[in-house]
Amino acid sequence: MTAPGHAGDQRLAALTEQVVASFAGASSPRYRTVMQSLVRHLHAFLAETSITEREWEQGIEFLTRAGHITDDKRQEFILLSDVLGASMATIAINHPGTDLGVTESTVLGPFFADASPRAGLGDDISGGAVGQPCYASGTVRDVAGRPVPGARIEIWEADADGFYDVQRAGGPVANRAHLFTDDQGGYRFWSVRPAPYPIPHDGPVGDLLTAAARGPMRPAHIHFMVSADGYQRLTTHVFADGDPYLGQDAVFGVKPSLIRTFARHPAGVGPGGRVLDTEWSDVEFDLVLSPNRPA
Amino acid sequence: MTAPGHAGDQRLAALTEQVVASFAGASSPRYRTVMQSLVRHLHAFLAETSITEREWEQGIEFLTRAGHITDDKRQEFILLSDVLGASMATIAINHPGTDLGVTESTVLGPFFADASPRAGLGDDISGGAVGQPCYASGTVRDVAGRPVPGARIEIWEADADGFYDVQRAGGPVANRAHLFTDDQGGYRFWSVRPAPYPIPHDGPVGDLLTAAARGPMRPAHIHFMVSADGYQRLTTHVFADGDPYLGQDAVFGVKPSLIRTFARHPAGVGPGGRVLDTEWSDVEFDLVLSPNRPA
């Protein structure tokens, strides 16, 4: 609406400086820095697009709908962060990559739950979830290749229908547990073979994807979060090789280093002597932790 | 976290381009433009501040709290837009100002209600609201100085305690009405003398203001929204001269051209022959509308 050099530009610039200055008295210098940067970028976005009043109202309505659909089972703002690439951008900023072979990070997603049941090594954590049995195992190591015993691994995963347990109201805990690595840093558990699934797309984020002609699908994966004293917490996935959505993850979470083969096996005897009357799969996924940053 | 030129910067830049590209297929070119600009500015903000994962989580939590406190009486996202200067920035972009004497615009705020009662000219619209009687009058004109008859004026205002009617659960409509200008473009009504008041600050926006060491106060004002065929809708306030908060409006809404004297008068006979047994005030506020933009 505003031609370059117009009086409106000068008024906007003066307003931006006034708002930036309003954060100058923040007692936390970090808060001041973050909010002043936010204000500048927000105003620059509005100016660059010459946002209309109706469009800005629509933005407010979008956030309102996102707030109202969010509850203890559904987190639309994390989905929004995910589909705008902000979650992966935050990860790129905080885990810039090293030459030390540290396992790459990816999105936390909206389905992590703080209180998961503890599982023993080799247990079946599927809790009756729909899907083909799948055995996952690997070793947690440091960048020197030394095993990390006692590391806590949180695992969570959708079932073969594409739903996490927390999406099924009143249902049991399923495909969700934590366990600890053994003396050799090893871990192993049974769950179900992961399947591609759509992120929840019946809310405002779904409308955003539709307007962008983007799909809601995520390629098949299992979530891992690994914590151990002296190491940075690692939040990542293992992705299934060959998944048709690896190149078009709705949340931009795929990193080639995280793709593994989920090998299929006929019915028979599997790891730990488990007798399987259906096809089953296994995957090996080793994890390398980064040392804590100097304080 | 990321030194300039680090591999992390390149990964972030590649991610940003990937997310921008994901909007390329939008059927609306305008949607594509707005979202691609949003993604670039959002990622630039995250990079510039080297946002930490915990800080980004706190941002998600802030939006979640804002969503949950928002209902049909409370709009925290409008408050957020207001205190970040985004509402006034949108106004600056869409009403860049002219030399034609058009009345300046300011924030809508969160307390407008679609369905207001119709009042006759000279009516008392206070509906029993607390406060000293105040008579407001003026003329609506076009940029050539010609009166605009039949213009619809929406008026809404806080009471002397600083509350709008919609903030008092189950209370009557008060200090809120619409009326139409007469053949000479004139309007007049009785309400109450406006007082400075705090924006709702018991929610996340209040926490933001506290962290910034900013106050929640707005200087005393009456809201006007004027619509007439052939003219741009005008959303504005009249502010009371001498208010101590004129220089520190929490939402950056003050424009000097909108300040008027609210003259105080002793008990006696006021306009329209109204007999007043207390001190009362009056204010004159003329409004000039901008013609519609060419289609």
Side-chain angles (χ1 to χ4, degrees):
Chain A
M1 303 293 167
T2 306
H6 192 286
D9 287 351
Q10 294 168 30
R11 282 169 50 177
L12 180 54
L15 171 68
T16 302
E17 291 313 311
Q18 189 188 356
V19 181
V20 165
S22 77
F23 288 93
S27 59
S28 156
R30 176 64 181 162
Y31 188 76
R32 181 174 68 230
T33 298
V34 170
M35 294 306 292
Q36 290 183 332
S37 174
L38 178 67
V39 167
R40 287 192 193 283
H41 283 288
L42 176 58
H43 286 213
F45 157 67
L46 297 172
E48 182 178 291
T49 57
S50 290
I51 207 81
T52 69
E53 291 168 291
R54 178 66 196 126
E55 286 167 345
W56 192 238
E57 277 175 31
Q58 288 173 322
I60 301 271
E61 288 161 11
F62 181 95
L63 292 172
T64 302
R65 288 180 60 209
H68 288 170
I69 207 169
T70 294
D71 59 22
D72 58 341
K73 304 290 187 200
R74 169 86 175 250
Q75 228 307 353
E76 197 78 357
F77 292 110
I78 292 185
L79 286 182
L80 178 61
S81 169
D82 288 353
V83 302
L84 295 180
S87 303
M88 287 305 291
T90 302
I91 289 166
I93 290 160
N94 289 278
H95 305 276
T98 69
D99 297 326
L100 301 173
V102 170
T103 302
E104 292 195 282
S105 300
T106 188
V107 289
L108 175 69
F111 299 118
F112 176 70
D114 273 317
S116 67
R118 177 166 180 175
L121 288 171
D123 283 359
D124 184 348
I125 69 160
S126 64
V130 186
Q132 218 180 60
C134 179
Y135 182 78
S137 64
T139 302
V140 179
R141 294 196 175 85
D142 69 12
V143 293
R146 289 175 299 228
V148 179
R152 177 179 172 129
I153 309 184
E154 294 275 353
I155 302 141
W156 67 109
E157 185 197 0
D159 63 23
D161 293 338
F163 292 105
Y164 289 82
D165 55 358
V166 293
Q167 295 178 279
R168 297 189 184 276
V173 175
N175 282 343
R176 180 184 305 278
H178 68 271
L179 47 75
F180 294 89
T181 54
D182 64 21
D183 287 349
Q184 288 77 48
Y187 76 87
R188 49 207 163 268
F189 63 89
W190 287 92
S191 61
V192 302
R193 186 180 172 93
Y197 66 83
I199 62 169
H201 57 114
D202 57 341
V205 167
D207 294 346
L208 180 159
L209 294 174
T210 300
R214 284 170 52 178
M217 296 300 289
R218 297 212 63 204
H221 61 275
I222 303 174
H223 290 262
F224 286 74
M225 184 192 286
V226 188
S227 320
D229 282 349
Y231 300 93
Q232 292 179 40
R233 190 173 70 183
L234 171 65
T235 302
T236 194
H237 304 350
V238 58
F239 291 97
D241 194 15
D243 188 285
Y245 297 101
L246 283 171
Q248 45 187 299
D249 183 358
V251 307
F252 309 98
V254 175
K255 291 177 173 172
S257 72
L258 303 176
I259 301 171
R260 294 288 183 280
T261 300
F262 283 66
R264 296 178 187 272
H265 305 284
V269 178
R274 178 168 175 180
V275 177
L276 297 128
D277 56 7
T278 61
E279 188 184 71
W280 59 281
S281 301
D282 67 358
V283 61
E284 232 187 298
F285 184 47
D286 292 337
L287 297 136
V288 179
L289 302 184
S290 187
N292 269 339
R293 297 191 183 93
Chain B
M1 303 292 168
T2 306
H6 193 284
D9 288 350
Q10 294 168 32
R11 282 169 51 176
L12 180 54
L15 170 67
T16 302
E17 291 312 311
Q18 189 188 356
V19 181
V20 165
S22 77
F23 287 94
S27 59
S28 156
R30 175 64 181 164
Y31 188 77
R32 182 174 67 229
T33 298
V34 170
M35 293 306 293
Q36 290 182 334
S37 174
L38 178 67
V39 166
R40 287 191 193 285
H41 284 288
L42 176 59
H43 287 214
F45 158 67
L46 297 172
E48 182 177 293
T49 56
S50 289
I51 205 82
T52 70
E53 291 168 291
R54 179 66 197 127
E55 286 166 345
W56 191 236
E57 277 175 31
Q58 289 172 320
I60 301 271
E61 288 161 11
F62 181 94
L63 293 172
T64 302
R65 287 179 61 211
H68 288 170
I69 207 170
T70 294
D71 59 22
D72 58 342
K73 305 287 186 203
R74 169 85 175 248
Q75 229 308 354
E76 197 78 358
F77 293 110
I78 291 184
L79 286 182
L80 179 61
S81 168
D82 288 353
V83 302
L84 295 180
S87 304
M88 287 305 291
T90 302
I91 289 166
I93 290 161
N94 289 278
H95 305 276
T98 69
D99 296 326
L100 301 173
V102 170
T103 301
E104 292 197 283
S105 300
T106 188
V107 290
L108 176 67
F111 298 118
F112 176 70
D114 273 317
S116 67
R118 177 167 178 176
L121 289 172
D123 282 0
D124 183 350
I125 69 161
S126 65
V130 185
Q132 215 179 59
C134 179
Y135 182 77
S137 64
T139 301
V140 178
R141 293 198 175 84
D142 69 12
V143 292
R146 289 175 298 229
V148 179
R152 178 180 172 130
I153 308 183
E154 294 275 353
I155 301 141
W156 67 108
E157 185 197 1
D159 63 23
D161 293 339
F163 292 105
Y164 290 83
D165 55 359
V166 294
Q167 294 177 280
R168 297 190 183 274
V173 176
N175 281 345
R176 181 184 304 278
H178 68 273
L179 47 75
F180 293 89
T181 53
D182 63 20
D183 288 349
Q184 288 76 50
Y187 75 87
R188 48 206 164 270
F189 62 89
W190 286 92
S191 62
V192 302
R193 186 181 172 93
Y197 65 84
I199 62 169
H201 57 113
D202 57 340
V205 168
D207 294 346
L208 180 159
L209 294 175
T210 300
R214 284 170 51 178
M217 296 301 288
R218 295 213 64 205
H221 60 276
I222 304 175
H223 290 263
F224 286 74
M225 184 192 287
V226 188
S227 320
D229 283 349
Y231 300 93
Q232 292 180 41
R233 189 174 69 185
L234 170 66
T235 303
T236 194
H237 302 350
V238 59
F239 291 96
D241 194 17
D243 189 284
Y245 298 100
L246 283 171
Q248 46 185 302
D249 184 358
V251 306
F252 309 100
V254 176
K255 291 177 173 172
S257 71
L258 302 177
I259 301 171
R260 295 287 182 282
T261 299
F262 283 66
R264 295 176 189 273
H265 305 283
V269 178
R274 179 169 173 177
V275 177
L276 297 129
D277 56 7
T278 62
E279 186 184 72
W280 58 282
S281 301
D282 67 359
V283 61
E284 232 187 299
F285 184 47
D286 291 336
L287 297 137
V288 178
L289 301 184
S290 187
N292 269 339
R293 295 191 184 91

